[in-house]
Amino acid sequence: MNILDKIIIDKKREVILKKSIIPVSQLEASVFFGKQTISLSQKLRESNSGIIAEHKRRSPSKSIINNSFTVEEVVKGYEDAGACGISVLTDGKYFGGSLDDLLLARASVNIPLLRKEFIVDEYQILEAKAHGADLILLIAAVLTREEIKSLSEFAKNLGLDVLLEVHNQEELVKSIMPSLDMIGVNNRNLKTFEVSLDFSKELASQIPNDFVKVSESGISSVEAIQELKPYGYKGFLIGENFMKTDNAGQAATEFINQL
């Protein structure tokens, strides 16, 4: 069993527990539930940099990346740097995040927020909306075509953008459907944690232009982005590269200024 399989087993248990504690009616009563969302896909189409900066304390592959910043410091730094959007990891067990991080981010910035989570249930999409997210992530590796369809349509009905993450051609082929806004290619093999930009390059031509193309993971240099732009990529998700520094916002500013 690989790390992704373990995370999904734990996530399904977590969702069952949360459903028993917090009813849907409570989520729907949140002040953010009726809030107009901001479209990241639209912002990426219009942007020159395309940077989606990530708030991430740790990961299964790197353990602790950075615990010394507050969420507010990080996300305000990213917004000031000119990021198009911010990804907030909300998984607790493996990434040290929480829905409170998303709430704090929403209270601090006015740019699109992605709830970065292992979504397996509509309930988590309601949570995302209730905590101020503008878009959700769906991971093709852990969902069937039917699940991707029902979850993405559910999110769209709530006014959320949908970013679908793929790792290979098989996942891409099974996933393409009108209820997605963005297709992200993860350059990290979730089974081996090996990272290569070749994943993004190889799949680029197979992603229809109706979708905004996003490259995720392993992007640590301006050169990498310049290498990927000719392949049609408009979005670039960067987490560890900024978070591992002493000042994530400043690191993002310097990076974006070089683009």
Side-chain angles (χ1 to χ4, degrees), residues 93-111:
K93 182 171 180 180
Y94 297 91
F95 291 87
S98 72
L99 278 164
D100 283 346
D101 290 344
L102 188 55
L103 268 185
L104 288 167
R106 179 74 291 154
S108 306
V109 298
N110 289 309
I111 58 176

Side-chain angles (χ1 to χ4, degrees), residues 75-89:
V75 298
K76 280 182 176 166
Y78 286 159
E79 184 178 45
D80 291 345
C84 282
I86 298 171
S87 164
V88 181
L89 269 143

Side-chain angles (χ1 to χ4, degrees), residues 224-248:
I225 289 179
Q226 287 164 345
E227 217 176 296
L228 290 169
K229 278 191 171 178
Y231 289 86
Y233 285 94
K234 299 289 271 176
F236 308 92
L237 185 73
I238 301 178
E240 289 173 22
N241 198 49
F242 300 148
M243 286 298 292
K244 69 186 181 187
T245 66
D246 293 332
N247 186 325

Side-chain angles (χ1 to χ4, degrees), residues 82-153:
C84 282
I86 298 171
S87 164
V88 181
L89 269 143
T90 60
D91 173 77
K93 182 171 180 180
Y94 297 91
F95 291 87
S98 72
L99 278 164
D100 283 346
D101 290 344
L102 188 55
L103 268 185
L104 288 167
R106 179 74 291 154
S108 306
V109 298
N110 289 309
I111 58 176
L113 292 180
L114 163 69
R115 180 186 186 188
K116 183 91 173 281
E117 183 55 271
F118 299 87
I119 289 180
V120 292
D121 194 286
E122 289 178 358
Y123 182 84
Q124 293 163 288
I125 301 174
L126 293 168
E127 283 182 324
K129 179 75 169 161
H131 288 78
D134 298 289
L135 64 149
I136 58 150
L137 174 77
L138 296 177
I139 301 172
V142 300
L143 299 167
T144 64
R145 180 173 174 82
E146 290 68 33
E147 286 168 333
I148 292 167
K149 185 175 190 295
S150 64
L151 291 169
S152 59
E153 287 175 356

